[in-house]
Amino acid sequence: GAVVSQHPSRVICKSGTSVKIECRSLDFQATTMFWYRQFPKQSLMLMATSNEGSKATYEQGVEKDKFLINHASLTLSTLTVTSAHPEDSSFYICSAPAWGPNTEAFFGQGTRLTVV
Amino acid sequence: ELKVEQNPLFLSMQEGKNYTIYCNYSTTSDRLYWYRQDPGKSLESLFVLLSNGAVKQEGRLMASLDTKARLSTLHITAAVHDLSATYFCAVASNSGYALNFGKGTSLLVTP
């Protein structure tokens, strides 16, 4: 099946710094990708929709200036957490849909962000 | 707003037993997904259900979809310890591929 690769898998950063997370579709093109956040023992919550060649659309309550999304190519979306704070510590997961008979939604491996 | 309710949220069951996880959703959708998540890991796709009456089986897991009732079930047959994980159902909005997730069912299979 299609593969979505996310990097890094784990990152620890200091408060106030920025962290970039990459999401790549390896064997298919994705004009749209999704970014989710998962706090410990909770479900996944959609943060934003990344659109190739245009601005991302953010869910209510998600600060677009804090969570910068860039979808510069058909295979790469990046999420930058700016001026990170400890409350931003979470598991961030990207997803890309793959068109086909099963209309799958493939997920990256996730990034565990810890802000200290 | 599309809401997805999953129950139970916690399930402890003995090996060899059967059980069903339920997933209700609030508005019309044409795609329902079941995922498995192990601790510290991302999501593993289990099933994609696309039409009313769809039934899919893989090993000890079987998923079904009733779009009229807005209900999907994940049935576990003769549970084994390796099935211990958190299971999520997710429903796609008709406008795209963004998914709305249930809260997840934390399954523990004990000897």
Side-chain angles (χ1 to χ4, degrees), chain A residues 2-36:
Chain A
V3 177
V4 175
S5 177
Q6 192 173 337
H7 177 82
S9 58
R10 293 177 179 272
V11 58
I12 301 173
C13 71
K14 293 184 178 180
S15 283
T17 62
S18 296
V19 173
K20 181 185 285 188
I21 302 170
E22 292 187 348
C23 181
R24 294 181 184 273
S25 57
L26 295 186
D27 53 0
F28 66 102
Q29 294 180 334
T31 57
T32 302
M33 292 186 180
F34 302 99
W35 287 96
Y36 296 84

Side-chain angles (χ1 to χ4, degrees), chain A residues 38-81:
Chain A
Q38 185 181 32
F39 290 110
K41 299 191 184 301
Q42 293 189 23
S43 188
L44 281 77
M45 296 298 294
L46 179 66
M47 297 176 65
T49 301
S50 175
N51 303 299
E52 190 268 335
S54 64
K55 292 183 179 180
T57 54
Y58 292 81
E59 295 301 300
Q60 191 173 8
V62 178
E63 299 175 57
K64 62 179 181 180
D65 294 329
K66 182 171 185 58
F67 298 99
L68 301 180
I69 291 173
N70 185 278
H71 196 146
S73 77
L74 288 170
T75 58
L76 174 63
S77 174
T78 60
L79 168 67
T80 301
V81 183

